Amino acid sequence: MQKKIHRLLSFSKNAIACISIQVLLLSMLSMGQSTSGVISGDVTDPQDASVPGAKISITNLDTGQQRRLSTDNRGNYRVNGLPAGRYEAKAEREGFSTEVWTGVTLTVAEEVSVNFKLKVRPLTAQVSVTDQGSRIETGTSTISGLMDSKTIRDLPLNGRDMAQLILLQPGAINSRSSVQSGTTGRGTRFSLAGARPNQNLFTIDGTTINDALNNTPGSAQGLLIGVETVQEFRVLTTNPGADYGRAAGGVFLAVTKSGTNQLHGSVFDFLRNDVLDARNFFDQDKPAFRRNQFGFTAGGPVIKNRTFLFGSYEALRERKGITRVAIVPNDSARLGLIPGQAEIPVDPRSQPILDLFPAANGKDFGDGTAEF
């Protein structure tokens, strides 16, 4: 009996250890592939000496959320896990004036360097800096391109597919030879810096959205829609960090909009039709075409400076005529009249088979066949 209890306890400990390892691995995966940004820098005095123990506060100007920390022994600080948005950075230290950086814009997966140089002044003095300075990222060797909300909103996109903006990045080309079908996925295929299309990684808010075969996600029409909901996205084309170790090609990082302390929203309707379309070479009449993409977004505070809500709805309605050319029997052949041959009686039992062919409405080839 004691041996059975001992084995049972040993099994329980092993099970708990396995569960712990799984939870740890899942937590590591959730921490990876982050779309959040970083604000880092150093604090120095007028003689460029480090100022350890300086109090740093980073405030999101849209939501009012604040992060506080102190500089280390070398006067350095680093704030991780910041969502994209507008920030204010402040540095304070006893015996020095307070310095404030306003209008610090942080984009998706970006590291911004904000350095402070404190002056020896009374505590009541405060220096405000409005120039953010250079936008060159010095904290990472990754080559990437950003599409901000204004670019996404203003550029004309046929079908409102934000994946089309990936082609604006250097080193990104459309892989036209890739197969697109219901089984392989209909998302647009891209090659970034020479990598295969199925080696790319697509994420929204840090969650992988690749399709079942690791290709570009897309709807039945091949569109990755939802432009109004996306705040901005970044395309990592070369040398992505270890956070994105799953992908050997490019990395697509998108973040959705968030509620703020101010109520905001939008209503949209994009219309495309056949009014200005030309007739196709094979069309006798211009086929009908009408596409409507419409919806709305809304966001605001639930609890000011603490809890926010944002939602959206987008719909696609399309009516489209597609011309297909087929060869069918002409009217004479249906009566048994074939050029160069004697009249062939039409057996009544074969008439239902002839009726399966639609009546010709195109060019007559003169050999008993015509176009439909």
Side-chain angles (χ1 to χ4, degrees):
M1 186 67 178
Q2 291 179 349
K3 290 183 178 180
K4 292 184 179 179
I5 295 175
H6 178 71
R7 291 176 181 175
L8 180 60
L9 292 176
S10 300
F11 174 77
S12 300
K13 291 179 180 179
N14 293 333
I16 293 174
C18 292
I19 294 174
S20 301
I21 292 174
Q22 292 176 354
V23 171
L24 178 60
L25 291 175
L26 289 175
S27 63
M28 292 174 64
L29 288 174
S30 64
M31 292 174 63
Q33 303 177 4
S34 175
T35 58
S36 58
V38 178
I39 294 180
S40 62
D42 55 64
V43 181
T44 58
D45 62 14
Q47 283 73 40
D48 292 330
S50 299
V51 180
K55 297 180 180 179
I56 305 295
S57 62
I58 306 296
T59 305
N60 190 313
L61 298 179
D62 295 322
T63 63
Q65 294 177 321
Q66 192 175 78
R67 298 275 295 275
R68 295 178 180 272
L69 72 159
S70 299
T71 56
D72 58 18
N73 293 332
R74 293 183 294 181
N76 299 325
Y77 74 94
R78 183 181 180 87
V79 184
N80 300 306
L82 296 173
R86 299 181 303 114
Y87 287 87
E88 177 187 87
K90 180 189 294 186
E92 300 175 285
R93 185 69 165 90
E94 185 177 357
F96 294 89
S97 60
T98 300
E99 185 171 338
V100 180
W101 282 69
T102 58
V104 179
T105 303
L106 186 65
T107 60
V108 55
E110 182 186 23
E111 181 170 343
V112 174
S113 179
V114 178
N115 300 319
F116 296 94
K117 177 168 288 192
L118 302 184
K119 297 180 180 180
V120 180
R121 285 189 180 180
L123 294 177
T124 55
Q126 176 174 307
V127 179
S128 297
V129 182
T130 57
D131 185 11
Q132 190 172 341
S134 174
R135 297 295 297 178
I136 299 177
E137 291 188 60
T138 59
T140 175
S141 60
T142 302
I143 299 177
S144 64
L146 175 72
M147 286 293 164
D148 56 20
S149 57
K150 185 177 187 303
T151 303
I152 296 175
R153 182 180 64 251
D154 294 347
L155 284 181
L157 298 176
N158 184 13
R160 305 295 295 165
D161 184 9
M162 65 179 181
Q164 298 171 1
L165 297 174
I166 298 178
L167 293 173
L168 298 180
Q169 306 301 322
I173 62 172
N174 193 349
S175 180
R176 300 184 183 277
S177 60
S178 299
V179 178
Q180 294 173 281
S181 66
T183 55
T184 63
R186 299 189 181 277
T188 305
R189 303 289 195 268
F190 300 100
S191 175
L192 294 172
R196 295 176 180 270
N198 61 357
Q199 293 178 323
N200 299 324
L201 175 64
F202 294 84
T203 70
I204 289 183
D205 293 331
T207 301
T208 301
I209 58 172
N210 289 40
D211 68 9
L213 299 179
N214 208 43
N215 289 316
T216 309
S219 63
Q221 287 196 329
L223 304 179
L224 181 60
I225 59 177
V227 175
E228 297 292 331
T229 310
V230 175
Q231 179 178 341
E232 59 189 24
F233 70 84
R234 182 179 294 274
V235 181
L236 311 181
T237 57
T238 307
N239 199 23
D243 294 345
Y244 317 102
R246 168 181 172 176
V251 180
F252 173 92
L253 306 174
V255 293
T256 56
K257 295 179 180 178
S258 170
T260 64
N261 283 327
Q262 303 294 327
L263 291 173
H264 60 277
S266 63
V267 178
F268 57 92
D269 185 3
F270 295 93
L271 169 65
R272 180 184 167 191
N273 55 32
D274 56 10
V275 174
L276 299 179
D277 288 353
R279 181 181 64 85
N280 187 281
F281 177 81
F282 296 100
D283 292 333
Q284 291 185 344
D285 298 314
K286 187 166 57 176
F289 178 65
R290 186 178 182 87
R291 174 191 291 164
N292 283 91
Q293 288 178 271
F294 57 93
F296 66 89
T297 65
V302 178
I303 302 176
K304 191 172 183 180
N305 293 336
R306 294 188 59 183
T307 307
F308 309 93
L309 181 67
F310 181 84
S312 68
Y313 171 80
E314 182 167 349
L316 171 65
R317 302 287 185 269
E318 182 175 274
R319 295 171 291 279
K320 184 177 182 180
I322 300 176
T323 299
R324 298 185 183 276
V325 179
I327 306 302
V328 298
N330 60 14
D331 294 340
S332 299
R334 292 173 181 274
L335 300 176
L337 303 176
I338 306 298
Q341 299 185 25
E343 181 177 354
I344 302 175
V346 179
D347 193 310
R349 292 172 297 179
S350 65
Q351 189 63 46
I353 299 177
L354 285 174
D355 293 338
L356 294 176
F357 291 94
N361 58 3
K363 180 180 178 181
D364 193 324
F365 296 105
D367 59 354
T369 63
E371 283 183 344
F372 168 70

